[in-house]
Amino acid sequence: MKLNKMVNKQTIILTLLAGLLLLSSLYYLFIYNSVKDTIINTSGVYASFESEDELFNSAELIVSGSTNQSFEERKKMITTFSVTNAIQDFYTITDFQVEHVIKGNLTPKTTIQVGEPISYFQGLTGKSKITRENYTELKKSSNYLLFLKKNSGGLYFIMNAEFGKYNTDHTDADDEKYAPKQTFREQMIQDKTYAPLKPDR
């Protein structure tokens, strides 16, 4: 009788543990590891440029090309303060295949790593995109003109969030609907420097 009670107790405990393990796995796969539609937009401190010429002169490297990585495939970086656990910095590292070099000492047809001011923030109910100044990520296989500057760690970062990237083949609707930078785009269309990219297509 005592043996039966011990076996029953062990069976109940094992069943409960198995249930908890199953629930934990389901939570991790379908909730914690899920990507939500929520976008957290934060403000950033950027230099102000009055024209495309000023942006051109400030950039260390200006290139055009594309990435063959989806956003999910790219390396996400996020750091937090140790005491408060508040977000300190975030960005994504994207492999970018360079087709044309407009400014800077770089060989065309090479791949560089580019920092984008966007990442994932992990919460209890899933992952949300976190970005600065309404920046949207480079889309896979779309062509872009990028204005870049190195940070202290030697990584080329897109300058001034949305003002540092321009879709040149009309395949990124998010880029073209960002109204504040359309004046810069018009100036580029008139500038022969960018003629090989055919930005007015």
Side-chain angles (χ1 to χ4, degrees):
M1 193 72 171
K2 287 184 179 179
L3 184 61
N4 286 339
K5 286 185 177 179
M6 279 182 60
V7 169
N8 287 339
K9 191 178 287 188
Q10 287 178 344
T11 302
I12 292 169
I13 291 171
L14 288 173
T15 302
L16 288 173
L17 288 174
L20 285 172
L21 183 60
L22 177 62
L23 288 173
S24 298
S25 298
L26 291 173
Y27 165 74
Y28 178 80
L29 289 172
F30 297 105
I31 299 177
Y32 186 80
N33 205 39
S34 65
V35 178
K36 304 192 316 185
D37 293 332
T38 310
I39 296 176
I40 304 168
N41 186 41
T42 65
S43 59
V45 180
Y46 295 106
S48 177
F49 298 109
E50 298 298 321
S51 68
E52 173 273 323
D53 277 344
E54 289 185 11
L55 182 62
F56 182 97
N57 293 331
S58 182
E60 294 178 15
L61 184 66
I62 304 174
V63 296
S64 71
S66 62
T67 180
N68 60 13
Q69 293 178 307
S70 66
F71 185 69
E72 290 73 23
E73 293 173 315
R74 303 172 200 175
K75 186 176 182 181
K76 317 295 188 307
M77 307 295 291
I78 190 162
T79 57
T80 57
F81 291 102
S82 57
V83 177
T84 62
N85 208 37
I87 296 171
Q88 182 179 22
D89 193 18
F90 61 87
Y91 57 94
T92 290
I93 300 175
T94 302
D95 291 339
F96 190 80
Q97 288 77 46
V98 174
E99 290 297 318
H100 296 91
V101 179
I102 307 298
K103 179 183 178 182
N105 185 21
L106 186 70
T107 306
K109 309 296 181 182
T110 57
T111 298
I112 62 173
Q113 289 192 318
V114 170
E116 298 186 72
I118 189 169
S119 188
Y120 278 142
F121 172 73
Q122 181 68 65
L124 292 175
T125 58
K127 299 175 185 175
S128 299
K129 280 183 182 176
I130 182 168
T131 187
R132 285 198 178 92
E133 303 295 343
N134 295 300
Y135 177 89
T136 57
E137 72 275 9
L138 300 174
K139 304 299 187 294
K140 180 180 179 179
S141 301
S142 292
N143 292 316
Y144 294 92
L145 173 68
L146 302 183
F147 292 77
L148 306 169
K149 184 172 278 191
K150 273 186 181 178
N151 69 354
S152 57
L155 179 66
Y156 280 110
F157 262 82
I158 294 176
M159 295 174 58
N160 285 51
E162 275 295 315
F163 280 90
K165 73 173 176 74
Y166 296 83
N167 179 229
T168 59
D169 62 356
H170 301 289
T171 57
D172 183 353
D174 290 331
D175 183 78
E176 295 196 350
K177 74 182 181 184
Y178 189 73
K181 71 178 182 184
Q182 298 315 312
T183 300
F184 281 26
R185 190 188 297 276
E186 291 299 320
Q187 292 171 357
M188 291 171 196
I189 290 172
Q190 303 302 320
D191 193 333
K192 292 181 180 179
T193 304
Y194 307 101
L197 309 182
K198 300 179 181 178
D200 58 334
R201 274 193 311 189

